Amino acid sequence: MEQKYDFGLVGLGVMGRNFILNVADNGFTAFGNDLDNEKVDALIKEGGDVEKVNASTSAKTFVNALKTPRKIMLLVPAGKVVDSVIEGLLPHLDKGDIIIDGGNSFFTDTDRREAYLETRGISFFGAGVSGGAKGARRGPSIMPGGSKSAYAHIKPIFEAVSAKFNGEPCVAYLGPKSAGNYVKMVHNGIEYGLMQLTSEIYDVLKKGGSFTNEELHATYTKWNAGRLQSFLVEITSKIFIQKDELNLSKIGLLDQISDKAKQKGTGKWTSQNAMDLGIPVPSIDIAVSMREISALKEERIAADKIYDRPKVSPMEKVKLEKLAEEALYFSFIVTYAQGLHQLADASKEYNYQLEIAQIAKIWRAGCIIRAGLLADITKAFQGDKNLPNLLVSPTFVKKVQSTVSSARELVAYGATNGIPLPGLSNSLTYFDAYTSARLPLNLIQAQRDYFGSHTYERLDKEGVFHTEWED
Ligand code: 6PG
């Protein structure tokens, strides 16, 4: 009898090839599919044994080579490609087969595809995969959403290939429909926030303390060994000392990289959807805006010439480094708090039944936002399932209380010296506003009623009021 394979994967780019090799390393047989002959040949060669890893350019050969119910993962660019790959597979599939979209698809696309495939008897999963190419090869964090009963078929494979934290797999069934893609989207929103914060801190250390790249490397390395331990701080420490192979002078590569940051959209989607649902995520919003401001390079250069900038008054290195560490820790917490708040509210809106502790748990290893902090975040939500916001968790109150004054001092220093720290100041503002029993928005209500008779509520009486304001 012709051999049938355990797992199928469409899209043999770097992520796809690495993922399929990871599957094979874990004792499952896997079959790949790509339109590109070279990619198919490369995978067969790298797999080494066609009984373990095989591939074909033909969708029909690919589908026929898989055990039923077929488990087919797509690692192709998000958007129309996903739909066309699905259409190409459909004529060859049987009822009960499973398609898993591993890309960063927009969550409403996943809902549409799930509903469509359900009519054909096919289970569809949106399963965000985080960890980049290395993660795909050595163990990513996987965020699957879809049919709970169908998940049983893919669970053993996903648990085997995922990253492990203290032996626990960084994958779990998260919820129905697009729950997995939504969680991955917010993961990326948080990723944007943390990246913006680490960049601002680099800027202030450099401008305020004249830290060299070597000193920045040493500082971030030290931080990564402490409570700021995280993938992003770790890679940042390495980035500072990366040699520039195109420039034989001593200048590091980082100094030669253009300051225009690109984006593929997941951070923007997080912000947009948070706005739609009325959930404040200013640390993520500003990270998206900063990528947009960064793209206005020509305008920035012109505007830079018009305005005088305050001369930076240097801060003593040891003091600045301490402030920076505390401010970064504070703002990391506030950023996770916002993203998780978004997940909790979106879960109610879309009926995802998300468990925040479980999400924090599968982010502890493998993904881009993995950090030591996530172990504490997991515990906080395990201890109180209905925690409204990380900021009010007793363990986090202590962490925030002991670092917020440094965030204040650094934001003030940045403002006085013309060093933009928007992620840090938005995090501080979010904290100050979220923890204020009274905000000045009573005035906004009065203004709305003044010019538009929009009515207001009172503190001392129930009901809705309108005043004929005196001109
Ligand atoms: C991950 C990353 C991954 C990708 C980002 C980059 O979790 O592995 O988030 O999904 O690198 O989408 O996003 P931008 O191009 O928008 O920065």
Side-chain angles (χ1 to χ4, degrees), residues 104 129-132 184 187-188 191-192 262-266 291 368:
N104 283 329
V129 177
S130 179
K184 178 58 170 51
H187 164 285
N188 282 26
E191 172 185 304
Y192 272 52
K262 301 229 161 67
Q263 51 179 322
K264 290 206 287 279
T266 44
R291 293 208 189 182
I368 304 296

Side-chain angles (χ1 to χ4, degrees), residues 139-436:
S141 171
I142 312 174
M143 294 154 242
S147 140
K148 193 163 190 177
S149 55
Y151 184 66
H153 295 289
I154 49 179
K155 187 177 176 212
I157 300 178
F158 275 6
E159 289 194 348
V161 302
S162 72
K164 307 290 176 302
F165 183 88
N166 287 344
E168 291 183 273
C170 289
V171 59
Y173 172 77
L174 295 181
K177 300 181 189 288
S178 55
N181 279 129
Y182 195 93
V183 170
K184 178 58 170 51
M185 176 184 82
V186 174
H187 164 285
N188 282 26
I190 297 172
E191 172 185 304
Y192 272 52
L194 305 183
M195 289 168 78
Q196 173 62 29
L197 290 163
T198 48
S199 309
E200 289 173 16
I201 295 296
Y202 145 64
D203 200 28
V204 75
L205 289 172
K206 201 171 160 174
K207 289 180 181 152
S210 302
F211 279 65
T212 62
N213 285 338
E214 282 76 16
E215 287 169 329
L216 288 163
H217 162 71
T219 299
Y220 276 67
T221 305
K222 190 165 66 189
W223 289 352
N224 190 48
R227 61 184 173 177
L228 275 172
Q229 186 277 316
S230 56
F231 172 72
L232 287 168
V233 169
E234 183 193 335
I235 62 162
T236 307
S237 75
K238 294 178 183 159
I239 287 170
F240 289 128
I241 49 160
Q242 179 69 44
K243 295 247 157 53
D244 181 359
E245 65 268 25
L246 295 186
N247 188 337
L248 296 177
S249 72
K250 286 226 169 83
I251 302 165
L253 174 60
L254 181 60
D255 299 312
Q256 299 307 315
I257 295 180
S258 155
D259 58 347
K260 292 195 273 187
K262 301 229 161 67
Q263 51 179 322
K264 290 206 287 279
T266 44
K268 185 184 74 180
W269 294 342
T270 308
S271 275
Q272 281 175 327
N273 188 254
M275 288 261 177
D276 287 344
L277 300 185
I279 308 160
V281 292
S283 303
I284 297 172
D285 300 336
I286 197 67
V288 178
S289 295
M290 284 308 290
R291 293 208 189 182
E292 285 151 6
I293 293 181
S294 86
L296 306 174
K297 179 78 172 172
E298 310 310 317
E299 290 176 46
R300 285 192 284 121
I301 292 172
D304 191 3
K305 295 198 181 102
I306 300 172
Y307 288 98
D308 291 333
R309 196 168 276 280
K311 193 173 168 324
V312 175
S313 68
M315 195 189 286
E316 197 267 314
K317 275 196 165 87
V318 177
K319 181 179 179 200
L320 182 57
E321 190 182 303
K322 182 172 183 296
L323 285 184
E325 192 271 343
E326 293 184 353
L328 190 57
Y329 187 65
F330 164 84
S331 52
F332 267 23
I333 293 173
V334 176
T335 303
Y336 282 110
Q338 292 166 43
L340 295 172
H341 190 196
Q342 176 166 355
L343 287 177
D345 277 20
S347 178
K348 287 179 210 140
E349 178 73 21
Y350 302 124
N351 212 1
Y352 286 146
Q353 295 136 44
L354 297 177
E355 276 186 44
I356 304 300
Q358 194 178 45
I359 294 165
K361 207 170 153 190
I362 66 166
W363 286 351
R364 289 176 305 173
C367 66
I368 304 296
I369 64 167
R370 63 185 184 256
L373 258 175
L374 281 160
D376 295 330
I377 296 177
T378 304
K379 284 187 206 135
F381 283 94
Q382 277 169 342
D384 180 358
K385 269 190 166 187
N386 300 316
L387 193 65
N389 190 305
L390 188 62
L391 293 178
V392 298
S393 145
T395 33
F396 278 87
V397 169
K398 287 186 207 121
K399 296 179 199 300
V400 168
Q401 201 89 271
S402 61
T403 49
V404 61
S405 60
S406 293
R408 295 193 195 289
E409 203 174 328
L410 205 59
V411 166
Y413 177 75
T416 312
N417 290 282
I419 304 169
L421 300 173
L424 184 57
S425 52
N426 265 21
S427 300
L428 181 60
T429 301
Y430 173 85
F431 169 76
D432 279 334
Y434 185 77
T435 57
S436 287

